[in-house]
Amino acid sequence: MSWEQQGYGQRHGQGYPYDQGHGQQQYPSGYEGYDGNGQPQQYVQQPYPQEYPEHSEYGEYSEYAQYAQNAQTTPYSQYSQYPGHSEYVEYGQGVAVDETATLPTVEPPTVESESESESAPERESEREQEREAPGAAKEVLDESPPKLAAPQRDRYFDTLRALALIRVVAYHTFGWAWAGMVFPSMGVMFGLAGTLMAKSLERPAAKVVKSRLRRLLPPFWFWGVFVVLAMLIHDWMPNWEIVYWIVPLGDPPGNAWGEQAWEILWYLRTYLWFVLLSPLLLRLFRLAPIPVLALSLAPILVLTFVWAGPDNRVGTAMWDLSTYLFCWMLGFAHRDGVLQRMKPALVVVVSLAAIAFGGWYAFTHQAEFGTYDLDENPLAQAFWSAGFVMLLMWAKAYFGIDFAWLTRFRRTNRIVTVFNARAVTIYLWHEIALILAVPLVDQFWNVPAFEKYLPLESQWFMFGVGWLLIGVFVLLCGWVEDVAARKKPRLLP
């Protein structure tokens, strides 16, 4: 899920060149003070060690760079009044960093989109205890450190995710077979999610997996209650397989009446398996990045030409995992800088070759699949998405694209923010919104003015009504994502 350049220090942990040592900087000499006898004295120039948080590709920590610049001219004594640690939030993840010297506390607000906030409640509890400690309350109240503005996120990946969601809704409205070739939204979403997962796994794997489950499952359960109840009303009686409505490791069961609503759950099931497998996949990838990345296309080739797998939930999961495994691993490659180190000519040739093969296979097997739609042809989807997403990821890493200019357009930037903060809600509820749009538009025919002046027969009109209903669901149900992320519930982020 950018979803990386500006701020402080050098990228990818190559050091923080404020001085020759790691975080070492010199405070100006010549600062005069007074000793205990009232005689003037001069402070001796001495190193002031300080650690800066790791540079994140999902935020621009220009504020920290400003601290480093100000520190060159700020008296050392002014820093001694602040607590001995600082906190920062990295793409929605709260991480405490022990400082070797005192600095003003910086607490940017959490930003979501497939992001996490692991220990915020615990840290808040610790701060409350510190405030209640004897002799500490007055110091904290009297010497509150200044707060800086929230770091701006890199909008490149955020924009790709928003476009992917729009393409999904458009495809389910119009059914365009060519839509997947113009923008393979699911491959893009898995690629972005793989990048985020690689970043998150810098922390203990168990905590990362637990956090992902916590953020994903409550919105799914909330949505599932309505879908399951509706199917029960329409003569559906589940058996033991209803457990898949609790943890969707396999496709949850349902009846034909509700199929249009629940058939989209393959994405959540595939994403969940990728999350569970990522600690192992990332370890394998880092053993031999390029060979493992290339071999990640092997499973879909085996399923297509050697063995199709079992005809059950396990087989379906194997096909979806194999189709998008390369895109997920591309996320790892982007995070670790593998794509950036590759020769541009090689990346372009390999990407275009994969796209060409995917397109060739889709068009030459139309008789077998009944269409050239990539969503109906796993092998074509795998290779087309592989080449397309590789170009997007490589361009991001090589050219340093961040779409920072998007922040100058307030409304567009706001839309991208909402799409990323409510991505799960939009994905889960968009089919229900499109289903409800049909009878709603039918009622418009009963109003003469609507019948005369509105394009009620147009699919584009239904597309617009569908987005209005999606907006209603975002307002009514999006707060569940805030609760899952342990944030204060809001109508809009």
Side-chain angles (χ1 to χ4, degrees):
M1 330 238 331
S2 94
W3 181 234
E4 122 182 351
Q5 282 72 20
Q6 302 179 9
Y8 57 89
Q10 299 176 358
R11 67 174 63 188
H12 302 302
Q14 296 177 2
Y16 305 89
Y18 302 113
D19 197 61
Q20 298 301 319
H22 175 65
Q24 301 290 329
Q25 65 184 36
Q26 302 292 332
Y27 282 89
S29 60
Y31 176 74
E32 294 186 356
Y34 296 89
D35 58 17
N37 299 321
Q39 298 299 320
Q41 64 180 9
Q42 187 174 28
Y43 284 97
V44 179
Q45 185 177 21
Q46 54 185 325
Y48 177 63
Q50 169 182 318
E51 295 181 1
Y52 289 89
E54 179 187 3
H55 178 73
S56 166
E57 64 178 305
Y58 302 109
E60 300 173 2
Y61 287 87
S62 58
E63 293 85 358
Y64 292 100
Q66 186 63 44
Y67 267 131
Q69 180 179 357
N70 292 343
Q72 302 297 331
T73 57
T74 303
Y76 175 84
S77 60
Q78 293 188 16
Y79 288 88
S80 61
Q81 59 180 318
Y82 295 108
H85 69 279
S86 65
E87 301 175 26
Y88 67 98
V89 175
E90 184 171 28
Y91 199 68
Q93 302 175 10
V95 183
V97 179
D98 294 331
E99 301 289 354
T100 57
T102 54
L103 267 183
T105 302
V106 179
E107 300 184 41
T110 301
V111 188
E112 166 280 77
S113 153
E114 283 194 308
S115 55
E116 306 164 46
S117 179
E118 288 291 350
S119 57
E122 291 81 356
R123 293 198 311 274
E124 183 62 28
S125 176
E126 293 174 359
R127 287 197 293 269
E128 291 294 338
Q129 294 177 6
E130 292 175 358
R131 295 190 185 101
E132 296 173 2
K138 185 177 185 301
E139 179 182 351
V140 172
L141 291 176
D142 293 344
E143 300 178 355
S144 299
K147 291 187 177 182
L148 297 178
Q152 293 296 321
R153 284 172 49 172
D154 188 324
R155 297 312 245 171
Y156 180 74
F157 283 171
D158 287 351
T159 302
L160 290 181
R161 183 178 290 104
L163 290 175
L165 289 170
I166 293 173
R167 208 285 287 167
V168 167
V169 177
Y171 175 78
H172 289 156
T173 302
F174 301 100
W176 295 324
W178 48 264
M181 292 186 170
V182 173
F183 194 81
S185 57
M186 306 316 297
V188 170
M189 292 175 69
F190 281 117
L192 301 182
T195 299
L196 290 172
M197 195 65 189
K199 170 60 184 170
S200 297
L201 285 174
E202 294 173 1
R203 297 179 290 116
K207 290 184 177 181
V208 173
V209 172
K210 178 181 177 181
S211 176
R212 296 285 175 172
L213 294 177
R214 189 192 71 234
R215 295 181 63 87
L216 178 67
L217 293 180
F220 165 68
W221 293 334
F222 184 81
W223 172 86
V225 166
F226 294 94
V227 176
V228 169
L229 288 177
M231 291 192 297
L232 289 174
I233 294 173
H234 287 81
D235 300 326
W236 176 64
M237 183 55 62
N239 53 23
W240 66 269
E241 293 177 336
I242 198 172
V243 298
Y244 291 114
W245 280 98
I246 300 175
V247 181
L249 293 175
D251 291 329
N255 60 7
W257 179 87
E259 183 176 1
Q260 186 174 347
W262 56 257
E263 67 178 353
I264 63 172
L265 293 178
W266 72 267
Y267 171 74
L268 269 69
R269 179 248 299 152
T270 306
Y271 173 82
L272 183 59
W273 273 110
F274 274 134
V275 167
L276 296 176
L277 294 173
S278 281
L280 175 61
L281 291 176
L282 185 59
R283 181 171 298 182
L284 291 174
F285 173 79
R286 287 175 173 169
L287 291 176
I290 299 299
V292 171
L293 182 63
L295 287 174
S296 63
L297 283 171
I300 190 62
L301 292 171
V302 171
L303 290 175
T304 302
F305 299 112
V306 180
W307 177 59
D311 187 17
N312 52 25
R313 283 186 174 87
V314 175
T316 303
M318 290 173 58
W319 275 97
D320 291 332
L321 285 168
S322 299
T323 301
Y324 296 103
L325 177 61
F326 188 88
C327 293
W328 190 271
M329 303 296 279
L330 274 175
F332 293 171
H334 169 76
R335 175 60 197 171
D336 285 4
V338 175
L339 294 179
Q340 187 178 9
R341 295 191 295 269
M342 294 177 65
K343 295 182 178 180
L346 177 63
V347 174
V348 173
V349 169
V350 171
S351 299
L352 294 180
I355 292 174
F357 176 78
W360 169 82
Y361 193 84
F363 283 104
T364 57
H365 289 74
Q366 292 187 67
E368 179 181 350
F369 295 97
T371 178
Y372 63 89
D373 191 338
L374 296 178
D375 285 353
E376 303 298 329
N377 189 327
L379 182 64
Q381 176 76 275
F383 275 83
W384 186 280
S385 297
F388 199 98
V389 176
M390 176 176 278
L391 285 177
L392 290 177
M393 292 282 190
W394 171 79
K396 165 64 182 170
Y398 189 80
F399 296 107
I401 305 173
D402 59 9
F403 279 13
W405 53 265
L406 186 66
T407 58
R408 298 198 298 266
F409 302 93
R410 187 174 61 180
R411 292 183 180 179
T412 305
N413 187 61
R414 178 66 172 157
I415 291 173
V416 172
T417 298
V418 173
F419 266 76
N420 280 266
R422 295 291 183 259
V424 177
T425 300
I426 293 173
Y427 184 81
L428 286 174
W429 291 92
H430 82 272
E431 278 284 21
I432 295 179
L434 295 176
I435 293 171
L436 295 177
V438 175
L440 180 59
V441 172
D442 288 343
Q443 293 301 315
F444 288 177
W445 289 94
N446 298 325
V447 182
F450 290 170
E451 181 181 2
K452 182 177 181 180
Y453 296 107
L454 294 180
L456 302 182
E457 296 180 350
S458 172
Q459 284 289 97
W460 284 98
F461 183 78
M462 191 177 73
F463 183 64
V465 173
W467 275 110
L468 289 177
L469 293 176
I470 290 173
V472 172
F473 284 125
V474 166
L475 292 175
L476 295 179
C477 311
W479 57 269
V480 181
E481 292 196 62
D482 291 332
V483 174
R486 296 179 178 176
K487 296 187 292 187
K488 181 180 180 180
R490 294 179 294 176
L491 290 179
L492 284 176

